[in-house]
Amino acid sequence: MDNPFDVFDEIRQAYLRYLDSPFRLRYDALLDERRRLLDADRQLYRDPLFEPVLPYESSNLTLSQACARLGAPPDLANFAARGLFPSSRLLHRHQLEAWEACRAGQAVVVTAGTGSGKTECFLIPIFAALLEESARGWGILRPTSPNRFWWNARRQQRIRQREHEPIERPAAVRALLIYPLNALVEDQLGRIREACDSAPALDWLDQNRAGHRFWFGRYTGATPVSGPETIPTKRTELRRRLRQIEAECARAQASAIVRNDPRILDYFQDPNGSEMWSRWDVQESPPDILITNYSMLNIMLMRSVETNIFDATRRWLDADHRNLFHLVVDELHSYRGTPGTEVGYLLRALLDRLGLNPDSPQLRIISTSASINQNDPASLTYLEQFFGRNPSTFTVIPGYQAAFPQPQGGGLGAWMPTLAALDADLDRVDEDLASRNFASAVGAASSPSMPSRVFADSLEYIRAFEPVARVGAVAPFTIRRLATDLFGSDGNIEVSAARGIVRAMVLARRQDSEGREVAPLPFRVHYFFHNAGRLWACVNPSCPGRTGATRPGGQPPPVGRLYPEPRPRCDSCNARVLELLYCQPCGEVFLGGYRKDDVNTNNAWYLSPDYPNLERVPDKSASLKRTFGEYLVFWPAYGKPLIRSTHRGPRWVWSETSQNTAFATLNLEWTPAVLYQTEGRLAKRPGNQRQPDTTSGFMFEASSDEVNAFPSKCPHCGADWKRRRVGSPVRDLGSGFQRIVQLLCDALMREMPTGPGRKLVLFSDSRQDAAKLSTGIKRDHYLDTVRQIAFRELQTQATRTDTTYRKGPRKINFHRFSQIGCNGVVPSRQYLAGFEGER
């Protein structure tokens, strides 16, 4: 992903291709106009936003040097190098200050940004305390039972996970990590697994702590199993869950060997490690590090089954005043208002159960936040009220960001042509030649080196980092804003120069203290996409505002200019604007509008793009379903005949059984109608005569106002969807949430380089959407893969002499399938199973 502009364009094009597939319209002019309308900033997407991530100021101390400075146990650096913190890495200044303040008994609030190493701000003090305590002696371990993995032996009674530990090693919670979301709990588990359960860490503990372990575990709804141990079915369930965990770990270990990537193991629990197996094991022998969320903590404090967790911790605290309890509250700023007050009282109840007061010298509070300010009295008041602790004992530690030297002459204007040439070079030649050309143009020394180093040296030579960082210090910027701030204009050459400098910074690399290749000024690139919304159209087919052109041999569309939002009248011709609908199988277009009776004429209604009954809007907002009693669908046929007619005249009549009215029979029909373009008035009429400023066609009519406003049969192609889940082939042009998320995820994953570091994380502020996405995306990706395989197989079969492939009673025409594409093109008729009803 070295070119953020290309990545954005690929995702954007994949999205637009998708809209041209299941939302395909049969009129080329409308397809072209829709693409022009939606392919613009503030429609389907926003232009990419670039956020420079300034590196954080270093303490210039390794962990070993920091231990010597703070008087911490010297073996912390040796243990941490096995998975927690590399020995050659330098601590950031805020990491060192957080550790120092914590050792001094201060309550610490770290406000550094994302990716600043806030996790180490509390993990290093926690493991330092564990090492100090374990160095005082935890006794000699007893041999473990040969049937320790009891779930693999039939009729074997459950064996406690820590039954081999001596009484000198008291089980207690030394550190409690509280997160607002389970997703954050799962993410933190990976870090702690690497620190405690990696093979080097376990070897170190065997050699230096007599085989003792630093126990950890999550205690959330995902921890097996709920309920008391006395219930036989619960024991059976735990046995099954542990077998499943063991099997997943074995597969992960095999995959790690094949891929030569031990980091895979961080995502899976190892039953042979120091992660707690079950809730029952946690209740019997609380782990040193317990990870949970505030909801589960609230339940734990109220139930008797978890009493031993708090009682054992209290006994451990009372046994030795040197024992420290670390309370870590992540995302502190998320606890606001009434929910924040409830969590604050919850923490008071917790400390009371442990026999601690908020100012106790045995209590160490470490929290992270994005909005606490040391100089803001309101922030200090918040901390005092939330933790119940003296505000003078809080130390708020910001992230100290490094500074770059300012460019000579006050700006980068002199280098604008060179940077614009670099942008062009990166498009037409390889990175090596582009980097050497750039270094030569700016006059920087260009010894034979990697292109990434040459870019870094050249940018440093012209001192380009500081101006870009200054622009991004206010807010993430678009490329046009960067061009304006750096070069005074957003013209073509200025934008090209801004693109050149961003692309060079994305490619630039330097070696850090560990020998890693890091960017001198990394970027976060924010891509914003949203669901394709419904569209509205002018009802005048001769509208001069229409931008799409009809191709030679094509049919002109029966509607005018398109709009992304509803409005009463067209800006170009003053005709009524109504919602644009289409038939999913054939692509024919329809118009839809909310009806209001014409009191002066029978069988006539005024249509509007918005819901007209304002007094019922609050009730209507709870349901998106549109019924025939409030919404009419009109087909601007212009003399096109109905696909079927009956003896009752120029209408298409059919009947259906209603599920909502005691299985009554409903009469449904397409009947002739005329739409008055300026008034938006729809009237039934016999015959097919044409009047000025009107559109002739057919309207859908039902015998009950409670019927779905969208007909089950298309009057153009005859598609009958009454037995399908959706119920109607006529749909609006709005896309579905899950399908769009899956489309964007697939497009993004295709652009991400393959390798062990590739990861995509989805968040949702709706629990319902999160639950749907967690299963829906996986399922839809599988179905799309099956469709691609089926399509390729059908293409192969199509080369045979027989031009049809028979499956059951239905024939599939290969000419149709030749129109199918796998990531964004779907056949005009839905022959493949699975697409039915999907948006």
Side-chain angles (χ1 to χ4, degrees):
M1 302 179 71
D2 292 337
N3 189 339
F5 303 100
D6 281 353
V7 172
F8 174 76
D9 287 339
E10 287 298 326
I11 298 174
R12 178 177 60 87
Q13 291 296 335
Y15 197 169
L16 292 172
R17 285 196 300 270
Y18 167 73
L19 294 181
D20 286 343
S21 302
F23 298 95
R24 188 170 187 84
L25 307 176
R26 64 188 300 263
Y27 301 97
D28 295 333
L30 292 183
L31 285 174
D32 293 342
E33 183 169 356
R34 181 178 64 180
R35 178 170 281 245
R36 291 194 188 98
L37 182 68
L38 299 181
D39 190 12
D41 185 35
R42 299 179 182 272
Q43 293 298 331
L44 288 181
Y45 56 81
R46 293 300 313 272
D47 288 337
L49 291 176
F50 297 88
E51 181 184 4
V53 183
L54 274 69
Y56 288 91
E57 188 176 330
S58 173
S59 68
N60 296 319
L61 296 177
T62 63
L63 190 56
S64 177
Q65 294 168 337
C67 289
R69 172 174 166 176
L70 301 180
D75 50 5
L76 172 62
N78 292 328
F79 172 75
R82 269 67 181 175
L84 176 62
F85 199 88
S87 57
S88 59
R89 181 179 299 176
L90 299 178
L91 286 165
H92 292 313
R93 177 183 167 187
H94 63 268
Q95 292 172 334
L96 179 64
E97 289 187 0
W99 189 14
E100 186 175 18
C102 184
R103 289 186 66 82
Q106 292 285 305
V108 177
V109 182
V110 182
T111 62
T114 303
S116 62
K118 291 195 295 292
T119 299
E120 286 79 4
C121 291
F122 56 80
L123 286 185
I124 289 176
I126 289 172
F127 281 103
L130 287 172
L131 288 166
E132 285 179 326
E133 182 189 352
S134 60
R136 297 197 289 266
W138 275 347
I140 299 175
L141 293 170
R142 296 189 296 271
T144 58
S145 170
N147 294 326
R148 182 167 181 254
F149 296 153
W150 56 270
W151 54 86
N152 290 323
R154 294 187 62 184
R155 299 181 180 178
Q156 172 67 49
Q157 295 296 318
R158 189 179 77 87
I159 297 177
R160 295 187 177 189
Q161 187 174 10
R162 299 172 62 179
E163 51 88 23
H164 59 289
E165 290 187 331
I167 59 173
E168 294 88 353
R169 201 304 192 197
V173 178
R174 273 82 173 170
L176 180 64
L177 280 57
I178 302 176
Y179 290 87
L181 298 172
N182 281 345
L184 299 175
V185 173
E186 298 299 319
D187 184 65
Q188 191 57 243
L189 269 176
R191 293 295 311 276
I192 299 180
R193 284 174 183 148
E194 186 179 7
C196 295
D197 261 2
S198 64
L202 296 177
D203 291 341
W204 189 93
L205 290 170
D206 288 339
Q207 298 173 13
N208 296 275
R209 292 298 185 270
H212 283 282
R213 298 290 184 255
F214 295 149
W215 298 96
F216 67 97
R218 66 180 171 194
Y219 205 87
T220 66
T223 306
V225 293
S226 62
E229 187 179 356
T230 56
I231 302 177
T233 56
K234 293 296 182 180
R235 294 197 297 271
T236 302
E237 181 184 354
L238 179 58
R239 187 185 298 269
R240 179 188 63 80
R241 290 285 299 274
L242 291 176
R243 286 176 178 171
Q244 180 182 0
I245 290 173
E246 190 175 31
E248 290 174 349
C249 180
R251 289 194 295 267
Q253 290 171 344
S255 179
I257 294 173
V258 171
R259 300 186 183 184
N260 193 27
D261 181 19
R263 289 180 296 179
I264 293 176
L265 302 177
D266 297 342
Y267 299 97
F268 299 91
Q269 179 177 354
D270 184 0
N272 199 34
S274 52
E275 185 172 354
M276 303 303 292
W277 290 338
S278 69
R279 296 192 189 192
W280 299 341
D281 293 295
V282 172
Q283 293 160 10
E284 294 162 349
S285 301
D288 303 311
I289 302 174
L290 184 63
I291 313 170
T292 187
N293 55 64
Y294 64 88
S295 298
M296 181 59 77
L297 178 60
N298 183 40
I299 295 172
M300 292 167 62
L301 287 168
M302 294 188 296
R303 294 192 304 204
S304 60
V305 70
E306 284 96 2
T307 297
N308 184 59
I309 297 176
F310 305 106
D311 291 348
T313 304
R314 181 167 187 161
R315 291 193 298 269
W316 167 75
L317 287 168
D318 293 339
D320 192 333
H321 70 277
R322 293 174 295 178
N323 293 337
L324 302 176
F325 178 78
H326 289 80
L327 175 62
V328 177
V329 181
D330 192 39
E331 305 290 341
L332 180 61
H333 54 274
S334 64
Y335 304 111
R336 302 185 299 268
T338 300
T341 302
E342 293 175 353
V343 176
Y345 282 123
L346 178 65
L347 296 182
R348 286 166 172 78
L350 167 68
L351 296 179
D352 182 68
R353 287 285 293 273
L354 300 180
L356 297 173
N357 62 69
D359 294 302
S360 171
Q362 288 184 275
L363 175 63
R364 296 290 185 268
I365 295 176
I366 308 174
S367 58
T368 63
S369 175
S371 56
I372 299 297
N373 189 337
Q374 176 76 58
N375 300 320
D376 181 14
S379 293
L380 298 179
T381 301
Y382 169 79
L383 294 174
E384 178 185 15
Q385 294 175 347
F386 186 79
F387 290 105
R389 185 178 174 112
N390 189 330
S392 64
T393 63
F394 283 93
T395 299
V396 180
I397 300 173
Y400 305 98
Q401 294 179 319
F404 294 99
Q406 294 187 357
Q408 298 177 350
L412 298 174
W415 303 110
M416 183 177 64
T418 304
L419 292 167
L422 171 62
D423 181 45
D425 262 3
L426 287 171
D427 286 335
R428 58 186 179 85
V429 301
D430 57 36
E431 293 176 8
D432 183 41
L433 180 57
S435 65
R436 286 189 278 110
N437 290 344
F438 181 51
S440 176
V442 300
S446 178
S447 57
S449 182
M450 298 171 56
S452 59
R453 301 277 183 84
V454 176
F455 278 124
D457 292 341
S458 301
L459 291 169
E460 185 175 343
Y461 180 79
I462 64 175
R463 300 186 176 182
F465 293 111
E466 192 277 336
V468 176
R470 185 177 66 248
V471 175
V474 179
F477 53 77
T478 64
I479 199 65
R480 291 192 174 277
R481 186 194 153 199
L482 179 64
T484 301
D485 286 1
L486 294 184
F487 308 117
S489 173
D490 62 351
N492 290 339
I493 187 171
E494 289 83 1
V495 169
S496 182
R499 284 169 52 96
I501 198 170
V502 168
R503 295 175 68 178
M505 289 184 179
V506 169
L507 294 169
R509 294 292 185 274
R510 283 198 174 282
Q511 275 195 343
D512 65 0
S513 60
E514 301 175 58
R516 300 178 303 174
E517 295 290 325
V518 298
L521 183 61
F523 279 93
R524 291 194 192 101
V525 185
H526 303 274
Y527 299 143
F528 293 92
F529 292 85
H530 63 75
N531 287 3
R534 295 145 57 188
L535 292 180
W536 287 261
C538 168
V539 301
N540 178 14
S542 303
C543 177
R546 193 170 61 212
T547 59
T550 301
R551 298 174 187 173
Q555 295 181 345
V559 296
R561 180 179 174 180
L562 301 184
Y563 292 94
E565 296 178 352
R567 62 186 61 207
R569 296 196 175 277
C570 176
D571 295 341
S572 301
C573 66
N574 204 39
R576 173 66 78 192
V577 172
L578 297 176
E579 185 175 2
L580 183 66
L581 310 172
Y582 81 113
C583 174
Q584 191 168 348
C586 70
E588 181 60 273
V589 297
F590 300 81
L591 293 169
Y594 289 96
R595 58 189 279 182
K596 193 174 183 66
D597 291 340
D598 182 356
V599 296
N600 298 318
T601 308
N602 293 329
N603 295 324
W605 307 267
Y606 290 99
L607 302 186
S608 66
D610 285 317
Y611 192 65
N613 299 320
L614 299 181
E615 67 279 1
R616 295 181 56 190
V617 167
D619 297 329
K620 184 63 181 176
S621 62
S623 174
L624 298 178
K625 182 180 178 181
R626 283 167 279 184
T627 62
F628 171 73
E630 61 187 9
Y631 193 89
L632 291 178
V633 175
F634 173 71
W635 176 33
Y638 270 122
K640 297 175 187 174
L642 289 162
I643 193 170
R644 294 186 181 92
S645 61
T646 69
H647 63 279
R648 298 178 61 181
R651 298 180 300 176
W652 180 11
V653 183
W654 72 99
S655 62
E656 293 179 5
T657 301
S658 172
Q659 303 294 328
N660 299 326
T661 57
F663 303 98
T665 299
L666 300 173
N667 294 321
L668 310 173
E669 61 180 300
W670 285 99
T671 188
V674 61
L675 178 65
Y676 294 84
Q677 297 169 0
T678 303
E679 300 173 345
R681 180 172 172 270
L682 181 65
K684 292 172 60 175
R685 62 171 179 79
N688 214 11
Q689 64 270 19
R690 182 73 184 275
Q691 302 177 26
D693 298 327
T694 60
T695 300
S696 60
F698 299 86
M699 62 171 285
F700 173 65
E701 191 173 15
S703 59
S704 171
D705 286 349
E706 302 304 318
V707 173
N708 183 7
F710 297 95
S712 60
K713 296 183 180 182
C714 173
H716 178 260
C717 67
D720 185 354
W721 284 26
K722 66 174 178 292
R723 299 186 184 277
R724 301 195 182 190
R725 176 174 58 87
V726 176
S728 173
V730 178
R731 314 287 296 275
D732 61 50
L733 289 162
S735 59
F737 175 71
Q738 180 177 298
R739 173 60 76 178
I740 294 303
V741 172
Q742 186 224 346
L743 171 79
L744 298 178
C745 289
D746 285 351
L748 189 58
M749 288 297 291
R750 286 194 297 270
E751 296 304 315
M752 295 171 66
T754 57
R758 186 167 72 160
K759 180 169 64 173
L760 185 65
V761 180
L762 290 178
F763 288 94
S764 175
D765 57 1
S766 166
R767 290 191 176 186
Q768 183 178 8
D769 287 342
K772 290 180 179 180
L773 289 176
S774 63
T775 57
I777 288 183
K778 180 179 179 180
R779 180 201 64 196
D780 288 347
H781 181 76
Y782 169 77
L783 292 176
D784 285 347
T785 303
V786 172
R787 292 183 189 111
Q788 293 181 40
I789 295 172
F791 170 62
R792 291 171 183 171
E793 179 64 20
L794 290 169
Q795 279 186 316
T796 303
Q797 296 288 340
T799 60
R800 299 180 180 179
T801 305
D802 185 9
T803 60
T804 61
Y805 174 78
R806 183 178 296 276
K807 184 176 182 182
R810 184 172 58 179
K811 291 183 178 181
I812 299 177
N813 186 287
F814 283 102
H815 176 70
R816 292 280 191 181
F817 272 98
S818 67
Q819 309 299 321
I820 306 175
C822 297
N823 282 311
V825 179
V826 179
S828 57
R829 290 184 181 272
Q830 304 300 323
Y831 287 110
L832 290 179
F835 273 102
E836 177 182 322
E838 294 186 12
R839 306 308 306 275

